[in-house]
Amino acid sequence: MAERGRGWARAVRGLLLDVSGVLYDSGAGGGVAIAGSVEAVRRIKASGLKLQLCTNETQATRESFVRKLRALGFDISVAQVTAPAPAACHLLRERGLRPHLLVHHDLLPEFAEIDKTNPNCVVLGDAAENFTYANLNEAFRLLIGMEKPVLISLGKGRYYKETDGLKLDVGAYMKALEYACDIQAEVVGKPAKRFFESALAELGVPPEQAIMIGDDIVNDVGGAQRCGMRALQVRTGKYRPSDENHPEVKPDAYVNNLAEAVDIILQEL
């Protein structure tokens, strides 16, 4: 069961849920739902609690991502998903930036309305097989040739879990470009404070009345706590036992899975 008592479960009006590693494990054929997670989402919605998915998913548009979740049994709408690509598009328009995109080909439709001629920045996402040497080197050459290079990363995760094991995430490639170009990336997505604030605004709940539930000790738990939320780490997805000895981030509680967290939260309503 969850540790450190249950005071963390009180006075909650809304939940932010990470997706990969909390609701499902991605992989071939659309991935698989984590045991109990479909029913947990149904119970959250039936309880009257507000629900928003807060994901760093950058391998698909929100529309196709939601279709995949619905096929796994989750009752979720596009409006309930806060994702990095739409936030990045807002930032690009706001600052008049024209991106060179190094992202997954399935994400490209999110940037269809963005001017990409004569790029003055690089946008990096979880490009998977598109992370070839040639593509990384092209991004490097563009950045190193800019007077004021701008690298925007749709997250900074180190790795994530698919059904066949752990996979390198966008953060590893972001760090390579930072090192090569002697620059610091601007992160759009977790753990950026602005991203969590956007998710809370869409949830319509102040941070002190919201709980974030994720499998990433740094990006989910640490990021949410810095915004004033309570945050739980599930022992599913990318969770590893060593997370429980993290030197800086201490979750408000550990739970074995989303279903256990929902059980406890609903008992306190």
Side-chain angles (χ1 to χ4, degrees), residues 34-51:
I34 292 170
S37 59
V38 171
E39 176 67 8
V41 169
R42 187 198 66 75
R43 293 179 67 204
I44 292 167
K45 299 185 80 170
S47 74
L49 286 171
K50 294 188 175 184
L51 173 67

Side-chain angles (χ1 to χ4, degrees), residues 62-109:
R62 282 185 301 169
E63 287 76 8
S64 61
F65 182 54
V66 165
R67 280 196 299 271
K68 178 169 68 173
L69 289 176
R70 293 183 72 88
L72 291 173
F74 294 101
D75 181 15
I76 293 296
S77 68
V78 172
Q80 289 176 300
V81 178
T82 303
C89 289
H90 178 77
L91 183 151
L92 293 168
R93 291 190 185 98
E94 187 177 73
R95 290 167 52 183
L97 293 171
R98 302 178 303 277
H100 168 78
L101 299 173
L102 179 46
V103 300
H104 197 281
H105 59 82
D106 289 343
L107 191 69
L108 291 174

Side-chain angles (χ1 to χ4, degrees), residues 95 97-102 118-124 131 135-153 173-186:
R95 290 167 52 183
L97 293 171
R98 302 178 303 277
H100 168 78
L101 299 173
L102 179 46
N118 189 26
N120 57 2
C121 72
V122 169
V123 171
L124 192 67
F131 276 136
N135 287 344
L136 279 164
N137 200 51
E138 182 181 10
F140 159 72
R141 285 178 169 176
L142 282 166
L143 288 167
I144 206 74
M146 295 175 187
E147 184 178 349
K148 293 183 178 179
V150 176
L151 173 61
I152 297 168
S153 185
Y173 302 95
M174 179 195 84
K175 287 294 184 181
L177 289 173
E178 283 184 330
Y179 177 68
C181 300
D182 194 22
I183 58 173
Q184 185 168 353
E186 299 178 41

